């Protein structure tokens, strides 16, 4: 009998144990659910970070393409300029040859005039001038003859003198042209040297962008790898839990259906399990998307100052850029092209070259400058760069190494380059 009681008690304990096991696993599942919820929350944040990095990478790639295109265009501009310089040299050489021929003609004519004057004087029998020759006539007939001869010589000499003066004027004009050509040539050479220096700045900026891109690519790949690992671990945990819960539920059902188990009334406990696939992400409301910067153009100086903000970090410096719809849409400006475009956004019409801009508006003292004034800098040449003052010792402009950007003119390079020229457009 005792043996029967012991056997019965063992059976009951085993039965109770079988029913208690799912409850213990359910408690473990709750802990895992909570842990997974935290992991999924972090996963959501990591995915957002990755999306941000990828968007940044895409932006950098676009910027590098713009810079590369700008450098190619600038290289072409340099090649064209060098060819123009060579053509100008040939033109100068030709002008110099023409001047040499004219000068030889002048010199020869001068000798002819001298010889004729001497010959006429000798024909009078004495070394005297025209008037003395006339006064030395021996009779009225001789006087008339001498007057006629002198008149013909004077007339011929006047023609020579007129040709002489015309040639001298032509030499003067051609020399002026040569001087102007040489001056333009020297200016182009200076500009070319400046362009090469700025091209180096662009190349350095391109290298920085590429290095930054590589760093971000590595970081993004690392994040992606870690996220994939976490996702795999979570998937494995999910599968283990589901298998464990299925096995436990099967065991409970088996015990509950055994005759005389005394626990058939507890079969409903199997419903206490929860499908782990129902775990919800703890991520909250998604942040509203940032609206794109407004491109609406206002009027007046405030519109001029703010017009270029949308191009900061999204533009490149291109010689001659900013003068076509395609360039403007792609954010391709040189310094004067940007200033011309920015003022147009405020309803002002100004020139599109630094040479034109420095002569426009009202000159004001640097100590009196205010936002919206044009400021000039001596870079590769005097007044080689122009920007728009925005206050606080800063200006916005299209810089060779950055494209459209805000720069500090209170210290560093731009402070040294600022030449004090400030023009106000009214």
């Amino acid at each position: 009998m005792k043996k029967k009681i012991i056997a019965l008690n063992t059976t009951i304990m085993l039965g109770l144990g079988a029913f208690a096991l799912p409850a213990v696993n359910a408690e473990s599942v709750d802990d895992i659910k909570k842990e997974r919820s935290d992991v999924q929350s972090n996963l959501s944040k990591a995915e957002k970070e990755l999306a941000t990095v990828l968007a940044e990478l895409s932006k950098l790639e676009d910027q590098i393409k713009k810079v590369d295109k700008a450098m190619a265009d600038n290289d072409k501009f340099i090649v064209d300029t060098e060819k123009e310089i060579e053509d100008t040299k040939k033109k100068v050489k030709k002008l110099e040859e023409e001047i040499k021929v004219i000068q030889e003609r002048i010199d020869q004519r001068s000798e002819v005039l001298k010889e004729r004057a001497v010959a006429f004087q000798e024909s009078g029998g004495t070394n005297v001038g025209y008037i003395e020759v006339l006064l030395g006539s021996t009779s009225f007939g001789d006087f008339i003859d001498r007057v006629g001869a002198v008149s013909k010589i004077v007339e011929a000499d006047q023609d020579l003198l007129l040709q002489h003066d015309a040639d001298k004027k032509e030499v003067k004009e051609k020399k002026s042209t040569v001087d102007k050509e040489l001056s333009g040539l020297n200016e182009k050479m200076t500009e070319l040297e400046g362009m090469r220096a700025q091209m180096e700045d662009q190349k350095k900026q391109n290298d920085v962008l590429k290095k930054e891109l590589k760093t971000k690519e590595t970081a993004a790949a690392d994040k992606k790898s870690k996220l994939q690992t976490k996702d795999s671990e979570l998937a494995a945990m999910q599968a283990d839990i589901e298998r464990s819960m299925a096995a436990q539920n099967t065991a409970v059902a088996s015990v509950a259906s055994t005759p005389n188990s005394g626990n058939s009334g507890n079969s409903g406990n199997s419903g206490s399990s929860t499908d782990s696939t129902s775990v919800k992400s703890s991520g909250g409301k998604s942040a509203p998307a940032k609206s794109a910067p407004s491109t609406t153009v206002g009027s007046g100086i405030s519109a001029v100052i703010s017009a270029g903000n949308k191009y900061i970090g999204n533009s490149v410096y291109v010689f001659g850029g900013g003068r076509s719809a395609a360039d403007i849409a792609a954010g391709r400006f040189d310094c004067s092209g940007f200033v011309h475009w920015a003022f147009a956004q405020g309803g002002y019409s100004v020139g599109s070259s630094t040479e034109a801009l420095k002569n426009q508006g009202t000159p004001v003292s640097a100590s009196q400058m205010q936002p919206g004034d044009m400021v000039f800098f001596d870079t590769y040449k005097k007044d080689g760069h122009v920007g728009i003052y925005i206050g606080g010792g800063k200006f916005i402009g299209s810089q060779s190494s950055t494209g459209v950007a805000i720069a500090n003119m209170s210290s560093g390079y731009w402070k040294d380059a600022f030449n004090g020229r400030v023009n106000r457009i009214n």
Side-chain angles (χ1 to χ4, degrees), residues 360-379:
Q360 289 191 286
T362 304
V364 298
S365 169
S367 62
Q368 301 297 319
M369 63 182 172
Q370 62 188 31
D373 290 344
M374 292 188 295
V375 287
F376 294 80
F377 305 85
D378 292 342
T379 50

Side-chain angles (χ1 to χ4, degrees), residues 94-336:
K94 184 178 179 181
L95 281 172
E96 288 174 341
E97 291 174 350
E98 290 178 1
I99 289 173
K100 185 178 178 181
V101 171
I102 295 171
Q103 189 62 51
E104 288 176 354
R105 195 162 63 231
I106 290 172
D107 293 340
Q108 290 174 356
R109 192 179 292 114
S110 296
E111 289 299 321
V112 169
L113 288 172
K114 289 178 183 179
E115 290 174 359
R116 291 198 44 188
V118 171
F120 180 75
Q121 290 172 353
E122 289 178 348
S123 69
T126 181
N127 193 19
V128 294
Y130 291 160
I131 299 299
E132 291 172 310
V133 169
L134 292 175
L135 292 176
S137 57
T138 57
S139 64
F140 182 75
D142 184 28
F143 177 80
I144 295 298
D145 290 339
R146 291 193 180 203
V147 168
V150 168
S151 296
K152 289 179 180 179
I153 292 173
V154 170
E155 184 178 346
D157 288 349
Q158 284 179 340
D159 289 341
L160 288 174
L161 289 171
L162 287 174
Q163 293 175 21
H164 201 62
D165 289 340
D167 281 348
K168 282 185 176 180
K169 183 179 179 181
E170 185 178 358
V171 167
K172 185 178 180 180
E173 290 175 350
K174 285 186 178 293
K175 279 185 175 179
S176 176
T177 302
V178 168
D179 290 340
K180 188 175 180 180
E181 291 285 346
L182 287 173
S183 177
L185 180 60
N186 291 331
E187 182 71 19
K188 285 184 180 295
M189 286 296 290
T190 302
E191 188 172 354
L192 183 58
E193 290 170 0
M195 281 191 277
R196 282 175 173 157
Q198 291 175 347
M199 286 290 294
E200 289 301 317
D201 287 340
Q202 282 192 320
K203 288 178 181 177
K204 289 177 182 177
Q205 180 66 15
N206 200 27
D207 289 342
V208 170
L209 287 172
K210 286 182 178 178
K211 185 177 180 181
E212 184 179 352
L213 175 61
K214 187 64 180 176
T215 300
K216 288 185 179 288
E217 279 181 334
T218 301
D222 185 55
K223 282 181 179 288
K224 184 178 180 180
S225 177
K226 289 179 179 179
L227 287 172
Q228 288 175 333
T229 300
K230 284 184 179 180
D231 187 56
S232 296
E233 290 174 352
L234 289 173
M237 289 174 64
Q238 180 78 26
D240 288 343
I241 292 171
E242 288 176 348
R243 282 193 298 269
S244 176
M245 292 298 294
Q248 290 176 28
N249 288 334
T250 300
V252 170
S254 177
V255 172
S257 63
T258 301
N260 300 322
S261 66
N263 294 316
S264 59
N266 294 327
S267 61
N269 289 345
S270 61
S272 64
S273 63
T274 304
D275 186 357
S276 61
T277 60
S278 64
V279 177
K280 295 181 179 179
S281 170
S282 63
K285 295 181 179 179
S286 59
K290 292 183 178 179
S291 59
S294 174
T295 57
T296 303
V297 175
S299 61
I301 292 299
S302 60
V304 173
I305 296 169
S306 61
N309 290 343
K310 66 180 180 178
Y311 287 115
I312 294 176
N314 186 34
S315 59
V316 288
Y317 185 97
V318 179
F319 297 108
R323 293 161 179 80
S324 68
D327 275 354
I328 292 169
R332 293 158 53 89
F333 297 95
D334 64 11
C335 63
S336 54

Side-chain angles (χ1 to χ4, degrees), residues 54-66:
L54 291 174
E56 243 181 277
L57 286 171
S58 177
K59 185 178 179 181
L60 276 173
E61 287 172 347
D62 289 342
Q63 182 67 5
I64 285 177
K65 288 178 182 177
K66 287 182 179 180

Side-chain angles (χ1 to χ4, degrees), residues 1-9:
M1 183 68 178
K2 185 175 182 181
K3 290 181 178 180
K4 288 182 179 180
I5 293 173
I6 292 173
L8 180 61
N9 288 336

Side-chain angles (χ1 to χ4, degrees), residues 41-51 223 227 230:
S41 176
N42 292 331
L43 181 61
S44 177
K45 291 177 182 178
E47 286 174 342
K48 288 179 181 178
E49 280 182 31
L50 182 58
K223 282 181 179 288
L227 287 172
K230 284 184 179 180

